[in-house]
Amino acid sequence: MYWGRYIMQYDHILIRYGEMALKGKNMKAFVLRLQENIQSKLQDYENVKVKRTQGRMFILLNGHDPEPIIAKCKYIFGIHSLSLAIKEENEPENIKAAALYALKKNTAAKTFKVTVKRINKAFPIRSQEFNQVVGRHLLLNTSDITVDVHRPDIEIKIEIRHEATYITSSVVQGAGGLPVGTSGKSLLLLSGGIDSPVAGYLAMKRGVQLEAIHFHSPPFTSERAKQKVLDLAKQLTHFGKSMQVHLVPFTKLQQEIFRQVPDGYAMTIMRRVMMQISEKICQDQSILSLTTGENLGQVASQTMESMHVINEVTNFPILRPLVAMDKTEIIDIAKRIGTFETSILPYEDCCTVFVPKSPKTKPKRDKANHFEAKTDFTKLMNEAIMEVETIKITSNENAYVDLF
Ligand code: ATP
Ligand code: MG
């Protein structure tokens, strides 16, 4: 549509970042990180720019199709919601024209509502009055369209800010949470199961940047099982940038544990060894916490007593984002974030190859210490750490799922 001066179009995406507005002094760092994360996610789009103004962020589309860009933005934590926006000068006539354009663009709308927010008090017409002015203009220039302030088919929002006015007419929900990188780093213990990828996703949602560690036992566990874990990590990278995955050869340690430790305690000792190796990797990478997919009550290793004994070997905080969730809730998230289908592939895991017949559900610390002391696992642990294979995973555009 040509309006005399230029072709009017939705050439901006307005980003609202909800929760971050509450962050007081930290706010600046959070906003900068969000801007950086958006820029990095959109780096392949030439001339697409990400700008900040007070309380808002904007993506300048510079002619690019907004749909794929919005789809990508849905993966960025810290974005509360987004809207396609027309940017206009703070001139009443221009704003009225843009509002009419927005209304006509939505050919299905039979009812509308106008909401004016006047942040820039230098704008000469007060919100309520301008609301009516724009509403009248829209009614006069359309037919068969009426006002409905309660349940309109389209709500035209007009934000009059200092630098310009933004006109939007639809809101897309964002991923919420905090920008990845604002809450430090954690090492995700990533198995091939359903739970740990979901735990990783939820940690990332709170702004945590992840590296992952996976214990595998070749040749008892296959290449396919390893690839499955790398695929899960890849799916998680869509919510951030990239992820280092540390693959720990666990065969010798597992064999030794099952030779030396009574069956009931083998699982407990195995977990304790995993924790110690994970902590060592954290120290090498300056990571300050571990994240697991543990969930109270699910299996033998996840009773209160088990956690008590397994936790004894590390001083590191352990994030357990799933601790209070039902399995059905976890599965719902896994499906939504696109990890479920990979997680249920039937490839063996090191913990399914070496399964104790009757793991203790209520292990005791003194007994675990006693069995552990009888064998020196340090040498094997150090060897395993020496042989860690680290793979850097970056996100793959084609694997994006429609999130909402
Ligand atoms: P998941 O679905 O994540 O495998 P789970 O319900 O099978 O969890 P467990 O097997 O008891 O539970 O494992 C508990 C947690 O220990 C996992 O969520 C994961 O964080 C960690 N873990 C288990 N096996 C491995 C492994 N092979 N490599 C890395 N971490 C593991
Ligand atoms: Mg498992």
Side-chain angles (χ1 to χ4, degrees), residues 189-191 193-196 215 271 292-293 298 301-302 349-350:
L189 278 81
L190 184 60
S191 71
I194 296 169
D195 298 338
S196 40
F215 296 85
R271 295 283 185 220
T292 75
Q298 238 187 47
S301 63
Q302 299 179 17
D349 174 73
C350 70

Side-chain angles (χ1 to χ4, degrees), residues 233-248:
K234 184 154 229 156
Q235 190 58 23
L236 288 178
T237 60
H238 297 147
F239 299 95
K241 257 185 233 169
S242 58
M243 193 187 295
Q244 304 265 30
V245 181
H246 307 281
L247 296 158
V248 185

Side-chain angles (χ1 to χ4, degrees), residues 87-105:
K87 185 179 180 183
E88 262 306 339
E89 289 162 27
N90 291 345
E91 287 294 330
E93 289 311 311
N94 294 10
I95 298 170
K96 280 158 66 181
L100 182 60
Y101 169 80
L103 180 60
K104 285 191 166 173
K105 186 106 174 137

Side-chain angles (χ1 to χ4, degrees), residues 83-326:
S83 293
L84 261 179
I86 302 166
K87 185 179 180 183
E88 262 306 339
E89 289 162 27
N90 291 345
E91 287 294 330
E93 289 311 311
N94 294 10
I95 298 170
K96 280 158 66 181
L100 182 60
Y101 169 80
L103 180 60
K104 285 191 166 173
K105 186 106 174 137
N106 184 334
T107 49
K110 289 283 163 243
T111 57
F112 74 88
K113 170 187 180 180
V114 178
T115 309
V116 174
K117 208 166 157 188
R118 191 176 61 128
I119 292 136
N120 179 356
K121 300 296 180 208
F123 187 77
I125 313 171
R126 306 182 87 163
S127 300
Q128 198 47 36
E129 192 188 337
F130 196 51
N131 232 324
Q132 287 164 8
V133 169
V134 176
R136 247 193 326 270
H137 180 71
L138 299 185
L139 286 171
L140 276 174
N141 289 282
T142 52
S143 49
D144 298 335
I145 300 184
T146 54
V147 174
D148 181 346
V149 289
H150 301 294
R151 299 188 57 185
D153 295 336
I154 177 172
E155 180 177 2
I156 298 181
K157 291 189 182 178
I158 299 174
E159 267 192 37
I160 304 166
R161 307 185 70 86
H162 292 277
E163 75 287 0
T165 294
Y166 297 90
I167 297 100
T168 63
S169 63
S170 65
V171 178
V172 177
Q173 197 193 332
L178 303 173
V180 170
T182 53
S183 301
K185 250 186 179 185
S186 189
L187 183 66
L188 171 68
L189 278 81
L190 184 60
S191 71
I194 296 169
D195 298 338
S196 40
V198 175
Y201 162 81
L202 291 173
M204 290 173 96
K205 186 169 182 196
R206 295 315 300 163
V208 173
Q209 192 183 340
L210 292 180
E211 293 197 11
I213 185 166
H214 175 68
F215 296 85
H216 65 150
S217 297
F220 302 104
T221 58
S222 63
E223 262 313 291
R224 286 188 313 181
K226 171 175 152 186
Q227 188 56 45
K228 175 183 173 180
V229 171
L230 297 178
D231 290 346
L232 289 170
K234 184 154 229 156
Q235 190 58 23
L236 288 178
T237 60
H238 297 147
F239 299 95
K241 257 185 233 169
S242 58
M243 193 187 295
Q244 304 265 30
V245 181
H246 307 281
L247 296 158
V248 185
F250 208 42
T251 320
K252 283 186 203 155
L253 270 161
Q254 275 191 317
Q255 285 172 326
E256 190 65 6
I257 291 168
F258 276 78
R259 254 198 304 271
Q260 304 295 346
V261 177
D263 184 75
Y265 272 82
M267 179 66 86
T268 310
I269 303 296
M270 203 168 84
R271 295 283 185 220
R272 283 164 62 110
V273 169
M274 281 185 176
M275 287 295 168
Q276 290 170 71
I277 294 177
S278 299
E279 189 184 300
K280 186 75 184 56
I281 300 285
C282 284
Q283 283 162 356
D284 292 347
Q285 308 290 327
S286 309
I287 299 173
L288 299 182
S289 75
L290 304 172
T291 299
T292 75
E294 288 168 298
N295 174 268
L296 257 181
Q298 238 187 47
V299 288
S301 63
Q302 299 179 17
T303 60
M304 192 69 82
E305 289 80 1
S306 255
M307 284 190 191
H308 181 73
V309 178
I310 293 166
N311 237 124
E312 188 190 12
V313 298
T314 175
N315 285 326
F316 272 48
I318 301 180
L319 310 185
R320 297 185 176 90
L322 310 186
V323 79
M325 281 187 167
D326 291 346

Side-chain angles (χ1 to χ4, degrees), residues 40-58:
S40 144
K41 181 81 54 199
L42 303 179
Q43 65 190 358
D44 293 342
Y45 292 89
E46 207 181 330
N47 286 331
V48 164
K49 302 238 162 18
V50 185
K51 299 264 182 227
R52 283 178 286 119
T53 67
Q54 193 149 32
R56 291 276 187 269
M57 217 171 277
F58 296 94

